[in-house]
Amino acid sequence: MALATYTDLQTSIANWLNRTDMTAVIPDLITLAESRIARDLRLRSQVTSATITTVAGVQGASLPTGWLEFENVTVVSSPDIQLNYVNIQHLDTKYPNNSRSGTPVVYSIEGQQILFGPVPDSAYSVSVLYYKRLDTLSTTPTNWLLTNHPGVYLWAALAESAPFLKDDERAIVWEMKYKNEMESLQKSDDDGQFSGSVLKVRAL
């Protein structure tokens, strides 16, 4: 059968499991699969842009919707300032207790916030490129990944069934197929990104 929608995926998972006692669990398997895919996958099609506006005297701001990882963080000014990531310990040491304010030059992540250092002394527009989590299938009938690579969803969901199946040998096969599918997709996307160009190592 075609795997085009959330309903199709649930039906296919039920067919592969061939277990009548797991129907109610299948949506949970898909949710777990989506969490795993969000951790494992970084594709060009996931990159989106947003603008964060800082508040004077406030170090943090909410992360963009669906944020997984930043690709680029830039203060829009003249000239623009590209911010470097630092860990939270470095941020706290360099800019303790909001003791310094000015134009941000670094950022860190804490919980669901992006933190700036130094603390913004004004309202700055911060342009960000980031990897966005795919829309969950429980809220939309389909998404780009299910349409183009349904195997990723299918094998991931089936692999997540292992705790329910216990010693079912099929779980090992599904886990392997998920990893192979993910590696192939990520490699294809990475190769496409650098096609026709020479990789350069940036000096640190």
Side-chain angles (χ1 to χ4, degrees):
M1 65 172 293
L3 283 177
T5 67
Y6 183 47
T7 301
D8 293 342
L9 180 60
Q10 291 182 78
T11 301
S12 185
I13 293 170
N15 290 339
W16 278 87
L17 290 173
N18 195 27
R19 291 267 299 265
T20 59
D21 60 336
M22 294 186 64
T23 302
V25 175
I26 289 175
D28 293 340
L29 298 181
I30 295 174
T31 297
L32 292 170
E34 289 178 320
S35 294
R36 184 174 185 182
I37 291 168
R39 293 193 301 270
D40 293 346
L41 200 62
R42 294 293 182 270
L43 303 177
R44 287 173 293 163
S45 59
Q46 294 176 269
V47 177
T48 189
S49 61
T51 299
I52 297 171
T53 302
T54 67
V55 176
V58 178
Q59 187 175 32
S62 296
L63 291 169
T65 302
W67 176 86
L68 292 172
E69 180 182 330
F70 283 122
E71 180 76 1
N72 186 275
V73 179
T74 304
V75 173
V76 180
S77 58
S78 183
D80 291 347
I81 303 171
Q82 184 169 333
L83 276 60
N84 294 316
Y85 171 81
V86 297
N87 62 44
I88 196 69
Q89 290 80 12
H90 178 91
L91 188 72
D92 289 342
T93 300
K94 185 75 172 178
Y95 308 101
N97 301 318
N98 296 350
S99 60
R100 293 173 56 188
S101 64
T103 304
V105 293
V106 297
Y107 74 94
S108 192
I109 306 295
E110 185 176 56
Q112 295 301 307
Q113 285 202 318
I114 177 173
L115 303 180
F116 299 101
V119 174
D121 61 354
S122 182
Y124 293 96
S125 290
V126 181
S127 176
V128 299
L129 286 177
Y130 69 101
Y131 289 93
K132 183 180 181 181
R133 183 175 181 140
L134 293 165
D135 293 335
T136 59
L137 294 179
S138 60
T139 61
T140 184
T142 191
N143 60 34
W144 178 89
L145 186 62
L146 182 63
T147 298
N148 294 279
H149 302 280
V152 171
Y153 262 106
L154 177 61
W155 304 127
L158 289 171
E160 291 297 332
S161 70
F164 298 93
L165 300 178
K166 300 189 183 302
D167 296 327
D168 194 319
E169 294 181 355
R170 296 177 299 170
I172 299 174
V173 176
W174 295 332
E175 178 70 24
M176 181 179 65
K177 292 186 74 67
Y178 167 73
K179 289 182 177 178
N180 289 342
E181 187 97 8
M182 288 289 286
E183 289 174 2
S184 176
L185 176 55
Q186 189 68 67
K187 183 178 185 304
S188 176
D189 192 76
D190 292 345
D191 289 347
Q193 180 177 2
F194 299 110
S195 177
S197 64
V198 177
L199 288 175
K200 296 181 180 179
V201 177
R202 184 175 63 183
L204 299 178

